Amino acid sequence: TAATDKGSLVHELLLGAGPGVEVIDAADWRTKAAQGQREEARKNGKTPVLMEAYLEAMETATKIREQLEGYGFTLDGASEVCVTWEETSTDGVVLCRCMMDNLKREHGVVLDLKTIRSAHPDTCARHAYEYGYDIQHAAYVAAMRALEPSLAGRESFTFLFCETEPPYAVTPARLSGEYRELGERRWQRAVELWGWCIKHNRW
């Protein structure tokens, strides 16, 4: 959809990394030529965007970056970092993988961007619950501990909820201790279930 395309585009512009953007020099998507270019871009794993929308997304990314800097957050770590590691379940080893938006490995700092319609704290909290961000937090912390065992217990994980429409509000959020504990339990349950499925070949 147009909304998801814009979210993906702004996300990529902020991080300076991702699958790539295909800018289509057309007024809209009505022509067959423009539609064909859009589908071709998607087949190649790129985000298709009209020129006007691209310029708008550039402005949006600039506004969001200014908001983030006002909170003291700069996306100057490594972006789109793929991490693979192993978890141990009762039924054997489980291979895990994640993609970190922005990582400062030597400091154990992870920043995770979430584009959202409203960055009101209540909305962000609801999204965290509905989309399982507690599980994501637990998985990413496990990944960090696999990367840098010496930093165990000192990791810093912050969600950055960013509006893609004016006023481009930003809400940085860290999970509470209780919610982190819930995420760790749900993550371990997922690891156990996956290990059991692999061992018994039942899904």
Side-chain angles (χ1 to χ4, degrees):
T1 66
T4 55
D5 278 349
K6 182 176 183 180
S8 298
L9 177 57
V10 170
H11 193 272
E12 186 162 334
L13 290 173
L14 283 167
L15 294 175
V21 175
E22 188 74 32
V23 181
I24 311 299
D25 191 7
D28 52 47
W29 298 116
R30 295 177 186 175
T31 66
K32 288 186 177 179
Q35 292 170 11
Q37 288 178 286
R38 178 177 61 186
E39 294 310 310
E40 186 64 24
R42 285 179 172 156
K43 285 180 183 177
N44 293 329
K46 294 185 177 182
T47 301
V49 60
L50 296 170
M51 178 64 73
E52 183 178 355
Y54 179 75
L55 295 176
E56 180 185 336
M58 288 282 286
E59 181 180 359
T60 298
T62 298
K63 297 292 186 183
I64 290 175
R65 193 176 290 109
E66 290 172 355
Q67 295 266 24
L68 290 173
E69 289 174 356
Y71 280 104
F73 292 99
T74 54
L75 301 171
D76 54 357
S79 292
E80 298 287 353
V81 179
C82 180
V83 182
T84 58
W85 76 102
E86 293 180 345
E87 294 279 356
T88 303
S89 75
T90 303
D91 292 300
V93 171
V94 173
L95 182 62
C96 303
R97 178 182 182 274
C98 72
M99 183 77 76
M100 297 184 179
D101 282 351
N102 201 259
L103 170 67
K104 297 178 183 178
R105 179 171 174 172
E106 65 277 15
H107 302 296
V109 175
V110 180
L111 300 177
D112 192 78
L113 289 171
K114 303 292 187 189
T115 55
I116 194 169
R117 284 188 179 181
S118 170
H120 188 283
D122 289 346
T123 304
C124 297
R126 187 166 61 251
H127 270 242
Y129 176 78
E130 291 176 352
Y131 294 106
Y133 293 164
D134 58 322
I135 303 174
Q136 179 189 356
H137 183 283
Y140 280 35
V141 167
M144 271 302 307
R145 291 180 179 180
L147 277 178
E148 297 290 344
S150 63
L151 294 176
R154 292 183 287 148
E155 308 89 358
S156 174
F157 187 112
T158 305
F159 292 103
L160 301 174
F161 293 93
C162 309
E163 293 180 357
T164 56
E165 301 293 339
Y168 309 111
V170 167
T171 297
R174 292 189 175 96
L175 301 187
S176 68
E178 288 181 342
Y179 207 36
R180 291 198 303 271
E181 175 67 20
L182 175 62
E184 289 171 7
R185 293 187 182 192
R186 295 174 73 188
W187 169 246
Q188 288 305 317
R189 183 174 65 183
V191 168
E192 286 293 325
L193 179 58
W194 195 253
W196 185 90
C197 290
I198 293 172
K199 180 178 179 179
H200 300 279
N201 196 28
R202 293 179 61 186
W203 307 87

